[in-house]
Amino acid sequence: RLDASLVGGGNTIAISHVQDTTNYTQSNQGETVFGSGLTFTPASTTSQVVAIIEAHVATGNDGSDNDNRTLFRFYSTNSSGNSIKELDTFAEFGHVNMQSSSHTMYGYFTSVISNCQRDSSNNVVIKITAVSNQDPGTTVYLENHRAVFLEIG
């Protein structure tokens, strides 16, 4: 964590990098969270936290349907334990016609949550989800994801 005073205001800014290099896979499931989330503990309970998120993703089809697609979404967790989208929008990855098995499409997403929620322990927890049951035979992969947290307060 890097702390520095902002000129003129006496406020503090903290920058932290959190990465999860676990390879996650899910098949034929509804919206499912990958892992336990990327967690940051702010120094202050009143500061604002911004998260810049990167995710390396893929989606594949086993050939049982003529296409596959999935939705990837980014959330922060509030004090009640609910995952909250900052905006009512989402990144959609894939809708590719695949006529045979062993086809996979890879992608890279970035997202920004400009006012992160905090859980009951004052932690910011970023969760990434995907839906793998929109088409039969779909497998979704999250191969690496990270967040850079900026605390301003």
Side-chain angles (χ1 to χ4, degrees):
R1 180 183 287 209
L2 169 67
D3 291 322
S5 291
L6 295 174
V7 177
N11 292 330
T12 301
I13 183 168
I15 302 171
S16 181
H17 173 262
V18 179
Q19 186 167 3
D20 182 348
T21 59
T22 305
N23 292 329
Y24 296 99
T25 302
Q26 65 186 42
S27 298
N28 302 313
Q29 299 173 30
E31 187 171 10
T32 305
V33 176
F34 289 108
S36 59
L38 302 170
T39 302
F40 168 70
T41 303
S44 169
T45 59
T46 59
S47 59
Q48 180 178 354
V49 177
V50 176
I52 303 164
I53 309 155
E54 298 177 337
H56 296 266
V57 299
T59 182
N61 186 326
D62 68 2
S64 61
D65 192 8
N66 67 350
D67 63 4
N68 76 318
R69 58 199 157 143
T70 190
L71 306 173
F72 286 94
R73 295 184 173 129
F74 303 86
Y75 297 90
S76 58
T77 302
N78 70 9
S79 59
S80 299
N82 297 317
S83 295
I84 306 295
K85 291 184 293 185
E86 183 172 297
L87 301 171
D88 193 21
T89 59
F90 50 85
E92 181 172 355
F93 177 67
H95 186 130
V96 177
N97 289 326
M98 296 183 185
Q99 300 299 323
S100 61
S101 62
S102 301
H103 284 85
T104 303
M105 187 169 82
Y106 298 90
Y108 173 77
F109 283 123
T110 61
S111 183
V112 174
I113 299 177
S114 63
N115 191 10
C116 294
Q117 301 286 319
R118 295 174 192 238
D119 69 11
S120 59
S121 299
N122 191 46
N123 295 317
V124 173
V125 180
I126 300 298
K127 295 186 177 179
I128 301 174
T129 68
V131 179
S132 60
N133 66 348
Q134 289 186 298
D135 295 302
T138 297
T139 300
V140 179
Y141 307 92
L142 177 64
E143 298 178 342
N144 187 2
H145 61 293
R146 69 181 185 145
V148 175
F149 294 97
L150 308 172
E151 178 183 5
I152 305 163

